[in-house]
Amino acid sequence: MFPPRISLRRRIFLDYLPRAYTIPKQPCPSRLFTHNSQLLLISPASPRPQLPFLHTPSALRPPRALTRNRFQTQILRLLTTERKQYFKDQVKLAIKYTLYFWTAIGLITIVQFGIENERLERKYPSPREWSWVSRWYYRTTRDREVSDPNGTGLIDWANVGNSYKEIIQRLEDVTVDGEGLLPQLEEEGDIYVEGVGKTGLDISSKSEPWRRGYHECLMGAARAAEHLDTWVRDTTRNIAFPPEVVIGPSNPRPRPVPFGAESAPREENCEPAFESPATYYLKILTTRGFTTRQRLDAALAYADWLDFKGLPSSAEDMYNWGLDIAMGALPTGVNNVVDTQTGIINEDATYITPNLLLATISLASHHAQNNNFSTALPIFLSALRAQQNLPLPPAPPPDPSTSDINGSTSIFTAGLSFIRSTLTPPAYPPPPPNGDLPATRTAGTPCEEAATMAHIGEILFASSSLAPIRKPSSYSHNSSPSTEPSNLVGLSWTRSSVSRAESTLRELSSASSPPVTSLAARQRCAECLEMGMENWAKMVAILRRREEEKAARGEKTTEEKQSSRGWFWNWKDGAQEEKGGKGKGEGEGGEGEGRWEREQRAVEEKAKEVRRLLRVEGLGSKGKEG
């Protein structure tokens, strides 16, 4: 049989097909349908599209040329032209925004740093002659001395003292800020004293702001040295520690360090944390170029430190040195102002300077602290007499810059002045009085009188062996002695000091436009008021305790004996008997209370009133606490 004609024709047709159109026997590698046509350059043609959900990568066999680096093959498939451009744009945006962010952070930090320095400069002005680094050290150190940046309430005196030392070294370095400084003896150079160190220099060629800032740095270093007294520094870690935590033979039972603090040091690795305060106080006293008040402040501060250390004889010598400094500034021909042997101000003296008053009152306080009441009381009385006899100051000339033609200032002028004061750097404050001119009555003079009266009352109450004097209301130098006991006279002086300080504080506060200098006077009055109220409360408590002890023994106090002889007391007793025979202590309304018990209740009420006043004014320790 012959095959079918259709099959024969199909075979002949297939035999005569050209070889170029022969279907390849080896299958082509498939590719994803979603890939770009760019891959056609490296992939052979696909007979049909491959759908993603039908694609099985494990069944495919890429060519040998592409099996050398499978990771590169995947990258070539993923990094298309569009994706490459997208990734480049994203990286550029990330870099751009990162630069913007850190640039903004840097600019904000710079602005914050500038604002903080401007605030500190207005709060603690620094001399313009100093370099920028010295001025920055000075501002930050003054701020750290009065406030804790960590918020713990404790001041890092080691850091403060080291900062002051750094500033002093820069100021004394002729290559930095000390150009033109000379030693006291040019031919011999610097003078060194054993146990003290280098003495002062000659700074008379420097300007007044430079000298004032140098003095403040030396006083600040001395304050830090007082707080770091007996502290030690661990040489291995450069950390200061109190002596109670040191581990060594001299401290067999060391106190444990607080939680979170550094470990306690060993005694063999320790040295004194700071210099002695005498180093800086004596440097001020031996420096040429300071004013009388600056040297006097250093002498009195050093004397107070010696009193604190239990060296009364050395402290008295330093107080006498301060008195000599104040008297040395008197003009030629002015003599017999103060008795140098006793410290009493002459009654007929007319040229009395603020430095003399400060030196004599400080000397009297020293004698009172060391229970030398017979020497302290005459000095206080002479100082009080001199304060009461101070002349009034001359009327200041009118300031044309503060007065307007129409008597008022426009809002535009006030706003312009505010903007100008904000943008321009603050001027360095003018120098304070040096204390060499005769003293006059100021807004704070009544407060100083109140403080002196409080000291007098404290001395009279504490010593019964002194000759009693008149009450402050009737006090004069030639008045006859009082017949009352010293403790009652001292209490009367204390009451008068409280009344004087309170009335002066209210007068200064009620002024419509108090001057700038009245702020210090108000603060001084607040301190005197607090001290007087504290002394008054203690005195009344002591007298009440004595009254209760005598009542327990069945004795009558001196006040009861004196009042029982009066007609009022006899009438009161008779009236009590007529009402039913109620004896003393049985009636209502506090009839059984003693004199000092009633006064103690009155003192408590007065103390509440004083606290309210200080809280409203924002002055004193009670006002700041409130």
Side-chain angles (χ1 to χ4, degrees):
M1 284 181 71
F2 294 98
R5 186 177 296 272
I6 296 176
S7 301
L8 180 61
R9 289 178 180 177
R10 180 182 178 185
R11 184 175 180 180
I12 294 174
F13 174 77
L14 294 175
D15 290 340
Y16 282 95
L17 283 176
R19 295 291 182 184
Y21 295 96
T22 303
I23 299 175
K25 297 180 180 180
Q26 185 177 1
C28 297
S30 62
R31 69 181 184 87
L32 296 177
F33 181 73
T34 57
H35 280 203
N36 199 335
S37 61
Q38 183 68 22
L39 299 178
L40 296 176
L41 299 177
I42 58 175
S43 302
S46 177
R48 59 181 179 177
Q50 301 293 325
L51 300 177
F53 57 89
L54 298 177
H55 177 65
T56 55
S58 60
L60 298 178
R61 294 287 183 180
R64 291 185 178 181
L66 298 178
T67 58
R68 292 176 297 181
N69 193 343
R70 184 176 296 273
F71 178 75
Q72 182 178 4
T73 304
Q74 297 295 332
I75 293 298
L76 291 175
R77 290 181 177 180
L78 294 176
L79 293 180
T80 61
T81 303
E82 290 81 358
R83 289 182 178 177
K84 287 181 180 179
Q85 187 62 32
Y86 173 76
F87 290 148
K88 289 179 181 179
D89 294 340
Q90 294 300 316
V91 170
K92 290 180 180 179
L93 286 176
I95 295 174
K96 181 174 68 173
Y97 287 123
T98 302
L99 292 177
Y100 287 167
F101 175 76
W102 288 110
T103 302
I105 292 296
L107 293 177
I108 292 174
T109 304
I110 293 174
V111 171
Q112 182 180 5
F113 178 79
I115 294 175
E116 181 67 14
N117 274 270
E118 183 69 17
R119 182 186 70 85
L120 294 178
E121 177 64 25
R122 294 178 181 274
K123 189 175 182 180
Y124 308 107
S126 56
R128 303 294 183 267
E129 293 86 351
W130 293 3
S131 60
W132 185 87
V133 177
S134 299
R135 296 177 64 183
W136 180 56
Y137 280 171
Y138 175 77
R139 292 190 292 261
T140 55
T141 305
R142 288 288 303 274
D143 186 60
R144 285 199 303 267
E145 187 179 357
V146 298
S147 61
D148 178 26
N150 299 325
T152 60
L154 301 176
I155 298 176
D156 188 0
W157 286 105
N159 191 1
V160 171
N162 292 330
S163 299
Y164 275 125
K165 284 179 58 178
E166 180 69 21
I167 301 173
I168 293 172
Q169 291 175 1
R170 293 180 61 87
L171 294 179
E172 293 179 351
D173 191 352
V174 294
T175 61
V176 183
D177 293 323
E179 183 180 1
L181 294 183
L182 299 174
Q184 293 281 0
L185 301 177
E186 299 183 5
E187 62 277 4
E188 298 182 5
D190 296 331
I191 304 174
Y192 289 87
V193 179
E194 184 179 358
V196 176
K198 186 173 65 173
T199 59
L201 303 173
D202 185 3
I203 62 173
S204 55
S205 60
K206 290 294 185 178
S207 63
E208 192 278 331
W210 194 101
R211 298 195 303 266
R212 200 194 320 170
Y214 181 55
H215 176 266
E216 292 175 355
C217 291
L218 289 175
M219 293 294 289
R223 289 190 297 269
E226 291 181 358
H227 286 85
L228 295 175
D229 185 48
T230 69
W231 278 50
V232 296
R233 184 177 66 88
D234 188 0
T235 57
T236 60
R237 294 175 291 176
N238 196 23
I239 303 177
F241 292 92
E244 296 84 8
V245 302
V246 178
I247 302 174
S250 62
N251 191 20
R253 300 183 62 182
R255 190 182 66 185
V257 297
F259 177 77
E262 298 288 341
S263 59
R266 296 192 172 274
E267 188 175 357
E268 58 270 14
N269 299 330
C270 295
E271 64 179 12
F274 210 73
E275 291 85 354
S276 172
T279 303
Y280 299 99
Y281 286 133
L282 293 180
K283 178 175 285 189
I284 296 175
L285 293 173
T286 57
T287 296
R288 183 184 303 171
F290 287 136
T291 62
T292 306
R293 190 54 176 267
Q294 290 172 343
R295 297 173 61 224
L296 179 60
D297 290 340
L300 298 181
Y302 185 33
D304 185 65
W305 167 252
L306 293 175
D307 261 334
F308 173 76
K309 297 296 291 183
L311 302 172
S313 59
S314 300
E316 185 175 355
D317 295 338
M318 189 55 59
Y319 280 115
N320 291 328
W321 190 358
L323 185 59
D324 293 338
I325 292 174
M327 294 183 62
L330 296 177
T332 305
V334 178
N335 300 319
N336 300 326
V337 178
V338 178
D339 187 355
T340 57
Q341 300 297 327
T342 60
I344 300 175
I345 300 177
N346 190 3
E347 184 180 1
D348 300 329
T350 57
Y351 201 98
I352 300 175
T353 63
N355 291 336
L356 283 175
L357 289 174
L358 178 61
T360 53
I361 293 177
S362 301
L363 180 61
S365 300
H366 161 73
H367 288 302
Q369 291 174 3
N370 291 275
N371 298 326
N372 193 3
F373 300 135
S374 59
T375 306
L377 184 59
I379 301 177
F380 274 125
L381 292 174
S382 65
L384 178 61
R385 182 180 58 246
Q387 290 172 343
Q388 294 176 346
N389 296 332
L390 291 178
L392 294 175
D399 189 0
S401 60
T402 58
S403 59
D404 195 5
I405 299 177
N406 299 326
S408 61
T409 305
S410 63
I411 300 177
F412 176 76
T413 305
L416 186 62
S417 176
F418 174 76
I419 295 175
R420 186 185 299 110
S421 63
T422 303
L423 298 179
T424 57
Y428 196 71
N434 56 8
D436 295 337
L437 298 177
T440 57
R441 295 192 65 84
T442 60
T445 301
C447 303
E448 298 295 338
E449 295 176 4
T452 306
M453 294 168 66
H455 291 311
I456 295 173
E458 189 175 358
I459 291 175
L460 291 173
F461 187 87
S463 177
S464 60
S465 60
L466 295 176
I469 60 175
R470 285 284 183 182
K471 295 182 180 180
S473 58
S474 59
Y475 169 74
S476 63
H477 182 66
N478 297 324
S479 61
S480 59
S482 174
T483 57
E484 293 187 3
S486 297
N487 53 2
L488 299 184
V489 178
L491 181 62
S492 179
W493 279 88
T494 305
R495 291 197 200 100
S496 300
S497 68
V498 172
S499 178
R500 177 72 63 86
E502 183 181 6
S503 61
T504 305
L505 180 59
R506 292 184 183 277
E507 289 177 3
L508 293 175
S509 302
S510 62
S512 58
S513 58
V516 179
T517 55
S518 66
L519 179 60
R522 292 167 58 202
Q523 182 64 34
R524 180 59 176 165
C525 286
E527 295 174 357
C528 297
L529 187 57
E530 289 181 343
M531 179 183 64
M533 286 302 306
E534 184 179 357
N535 292 346
W536 190 4
K538 290 180 180 179
M539 293 176 184
V540 173
I542 292 174
L543 292 175
R544 178 186 177 183
R545 186 170 60 251
R546 293 178 183 176
E547 183 182 44
E548 292 176 351
E549 292 175 355
K550 290 185 178 182
R553 294 194 301 266
E555 301 177 1
K556 284 188 176 182
T557 60
T558 305
E559 294 80 9
E560 292 176 351
K561 294 178 181 179
Q562 293 177 357
S563 60
S564 62
R565 293 191 292 266
W567 65 272
F568 179 77
W569 185 267
N570 296 332
W571 172 84
K572 187 176 182 181
D573 290 343
Q576 289 178 355
E577 293 177 359
E578 291 177 358
K579 287 183 179 180
K582 292 183 181 181
K584 186 178 181 180
E586 298 180 5
E588 296 179 357
E591 292 180 356
E593 294 179 348
R595 170 185 176 183
W596 303 118
E597 187 176 358
R598 294 192 300 270
E599 183 159 352
Q600 188 176 23
R601 191 169 60 251
V603 169
E604 292 175 356
E605 294 296 330
K606 187 69 174 179
K608 294 179 182 179
E609 182 181 352
V610 168
R611 282 194 294 268
R612 286 194 297 268
L613 175 62
L614 297 180
R615 190 179 300 112
V616 170
E617 298 295 331
L619 301 171
S621 59
K622 295 181 176 58
K624 293 177 181 178
E625 290 175 2

